[in-house]
Amino acid sequence: MKYKICIFLLACIVTNVFANTICKDGEYIQIKNEDGNIIYSISENMLPWYSRSYKETDKYLYFSNKARNPVIVDKKTGQSRTLDIIYSDFYLMSSDSKFILTCTSKEKTTTYYHFVNQKFIKFDNKYFSDFNFYLYNVEEGQLVEIKKLDLSFLQKSDVSLSAEAAYDSEENCFFINFTGEGGIIHRAEINLDTNEFSVLRRTVFIPSFGGELMYCCDRLRLRENESNNSNIKFVMPKGIKVLTIKRGKFETIDNIDSYWTEIEIVEDIYTQEGRKVKKGERGWCYGGYLALSEEL
């Protein structure tokens, strides 16, 4: 009986941590607790006219105010914090809410970028040289000085930055992801032991969210489970379009670092063996051979 009570109390605690929700009421962005009470509210008129949007992670709501300072709001308590030391309208928070990648222009002008499908960010190459990038440690409230930082590859016409970033506590690295040639998603890191930036050219990143249309950039085996030892259902030809369902385990295969990915065939195809497969067929494949573009 004691164990049941403990489990119930723990469930209540967990529920209270994550029960608060963000909603819109007219022009107001609000955080409500599980009782429906408003613990934080801000008018969209207090946000920059060109970017009246916000983002959220499990812990925080964050946005830029009219002075173009990032504002972080604790979703559990409703308490807000303004980062006065940063002047920016671009910010990318890691999924665990510990770090923010941000940039500002030298002349304090608008950071020229736009979203592609709300998942990828394109920068305007004309103004890119004016940008300075910073990494902000949310818990310690400090800017991290980044060494050897070179994000010039982001101004290439076929490159865009993923709106999804991550922090790995075991490796103590902040990761960003970007599309490269042929739409393959690569990864770059800021090592927080050395504060050095580097591009991991042999890493192919698969977004954690499902519903991404991708293409096979080589002949690719579709398996029953996320393992090279799993039964092969069939071999998909190069260029086949698939829909990602969920991301699986991380593994290095053929000197490529990527994730096993559950996918769904979105149109009738003929396998490498010549067998017809109808759309809707699902299975697992290695993400190192998936890309966002069919122009491979």
Side-chain angles (χ1 to χ4, degrees):
M1 183 65 181
K2 290 181 179 179
Y3 292 115
K4 291 183 178 179
I5 293 174
C6 289
I7 292 173
F8 173 75
L9 291 174
L10 180 60
C12 289
I13 293 171
V14 172
T15 300
N16 285 334
V17 170
F18 297 103
N20 295 356
T21 58
I22 296 175
C23 58
K24 288 286 297 297
D25 185 1
E27 68 179 53
Y28 289 93
I29 303 167
Q30 301 173 338
I31 300 178
K32 293 183 179 181
N33 61 20
E34 59 178 356
D35 297 323
N37 297 320
I38 299 172
I39 61 172
Y40 182 83
S41 179
I42 185 170
S43 169
E44 285 185 330
N45 294 327
M46 300 302 294
L47 277 58
W49 62 268
Y50 51 83
S51 179
R52 289 182 174 172
S53 61
Y54 62 88
K55 301 175 186 176
E56 64 174 308
T57 62
D58 287 342
K59 295 182 180 179
Y60 298 107
L61 159 73
Y62 60 112
F63 54 88
S64 285
N65 60 20
K66 276 192 172 181
R68 292 178 58 200
N69 299 122
V71 178
I72 304 174
V73 185
D74 190 311
K75 289 167 63 176
K76 180 181 177 183
T77 65
Q79 295 181 335
S80 64
R81 188 182 351 162
T82 302
L83 310 185
D84 294 322
I85 56 175
I86 304 173
Y87 180 88
S88 178
D89 51 17
F90 168 80
Y91 38 85
L92 192 61
M93 182 178 278
S94 59
S95 55
D96 61 4
S97 309
K98 291 186 177 181
F99 289 91
I100 294 177
L101 179 70
T102 184
C103 70
T104 181
S105 59
K106 297 174 183 177
E107 302 300 327
K108 292 190 175 183
T109 56
T110 301
T111 307
Y112 291 87
Y113 68 94
H114 65 275
F115 279 90
V116 181
N117 298 327
Q118 294 300 311
K119 295 179 181 179
F120 292 90
I121 301 162
K122 289 284 291 183
F123 288 91
D124 189 326
N125 12 345
K126 179 180 178 182
Y127 300 95
F128 194 87
S129 60
D130 291 335
F131 299 161
N132 291 321
F133 285 83
Y134 305 92
L135 192 63
Y136 182 76
N137 187 318
V138 177
E139 294 182 348
E140 296 180 4
Q142 296 179 350
L143 284 175
V144 177
E145 180 182 355
I146 308 172
K147 303 174 184 177
K148 301 180 181 179
L149 179 63
D150 181 11
L151 296 177
S152 58
F153 61 88
L154 290 176
Q155 62 184 311
K156 296 179 181 178
S157 60
D158 60 346
V159 174
S160 57
L161 180 67
S162 171
E164 182 178 280
Y167 169 71
D168 188 319
S169 57
E170 292 185 2
E171 297 186 25
N172 197 25
C173 291
F174 178 87
F175 293 102
I176 61 172
N177 311 294
F178 62 95
T179 59
E181 183 179 355
I184 296 176
I185 305 180
H186 298 277
R187 173 169 276 197
E189 72 171 20
I190 299 171
N191 186 312
L192 293 168
D193 290 327
T194 62
N195 288 356
E196 292 185 351
F197 173 84
S198 60
V199 176
L200 309 178
R201 301 186 185 278
R202 298 299 298 169
T203 299
V204 179
F205 182 73
I206 301 296
S208 62
F209 42 77
E212 190 74 55
L213 282 174
M214 303 190 78
Y215 297 83
C216 299
C217 54
D218 205 338
R219 291 181 298 174
L220 187 57
R221 297 180 180 93
L222 189 70
R223 298 181 180 272
E224 292 183 354
N225 294 297
E226 50 182 327
S227 168
N228 258 340
N229 297 322
S230 176
N231 291 333
I232 299 173
K233 303 181 76 170
F234 52 84
V235 179
M236 298 179 289
K238 178 180 177 180
I240 292 299
K241 183 165 59 175
V242 301
L243 181 71
T244 62
I245 304 302
K246 65 180 178 181
R247 190 173 70 184
K249 65 182 181 181
F250 188 82
E251 191 171 350
T252 301
I253 299 176
D254 298 334
N255 293 319
I256 301 174
D257 295 331
S258 192
Y259 297 87
W260 283 91
T261 307
E262 185 180 15
I263 59 96
E264 179 180 304
I265 305 295
V266 298
E267 55 193 10
D268 293 352
I269 67 166
Y270 284 92
T271 69
Q272 193 66 30
E273 303 83 4
R275 179 166 63 89
K276 185 176 181 180
V277 175
K278 293 186 177 182
K279 67 178 183 179
E281 183 79 21
R282 290 190 179 189
W284 288 84
C285 65
Y286 184 59
Y289 295 99
L290 292 177
L292 290 176
S293 172
E294 60 183 330
E295 299 175 2
L296 307 169

